[in-house]
Amino acid sequence: MADVAQKSSGAALVVGLLLFIVFETAAYYLLRFATSGLGMSDQMQPENTIVSNWVKTVVFLLLHLLLVVVAVLVLSNRLSRRYRGQVMGWFYLSLLTGFLLLIPLFG
């Protein structure tokens, strides 16, 4: 019976959601600043190619993935065993959010 994991409370999930939103917002603004010199702001130019914006997209996604993996590693070591079960769920949601953040990045 000692191996039975305790479930996180509803309050812990709400705190996790709020911290997830804060993390993703901070990551977006940090990465937007870091990739501001890449890409073209005006997509409707006759000599425009997709290459510069492709580079900005790939760099943004790779840096976002790096931030998320570092956050997961830090949280896995710092959180108590009771709350570690939430970390992988937020990790998967963050991977999806990284792609969704491309919309306001180029919008």
Side-chain angles (χ1 to χ4, degrees):
M1 292 302 274
D3 292 338
V4 176
Q6 296 177 350
K7 295 271 185 180
S8 296
S9 66
L13 289 173
V14 170
V15 170
L17 177 64
L18 291 176
L19 291 174
F20 173 78
I21 292 170
V22 168
F23 172 77
E24 287 296 332
T25 303
Y28 170 73
Y29 284 111
L30 175 71
L31 294 177
R32 186 177 81 169
F33 176 74
T35 60
S36 63
L38 302 173
M40 299 176 76
S41 60
D42 185 13
Q43 292 283 333
M44 301 304 172
Q45 297 178 2
E47 68 277 354
N48 188 16
T49 63
I50 195 168
V51 174
S52 60
N53 289 327
W54 178 252
V55 170
K56 184 175 184 174
T57 301
V58 171
V59 168
F60 182 86
L61 288 175
L62 287 176
L63 289 176
H64 185 266
L65 181 63
L66 178 70
L67 281 176
V68 170
V69 168
V70 168
V72 166
L73 291 174
V74 169
L75 285 175
S76 293
N77 288 329
R78 299 281 181 180
L79 286 177
S80 67
R81 185 177 301 255
R82 181 176 186 181
Y83 303 112
R84 278 189 211 155
Q86 289 187 32
V87 173
M88 287 311 292
W90 296 121
F91 173 74
Y92 296 133
L93 186 60
S94 186
L95 291 179
L96 176 65
T97 305
F99 289 101
L100 295 177
L101 287 177
L102 291 175
I103 296 169
L105 183 66
F106 288 107

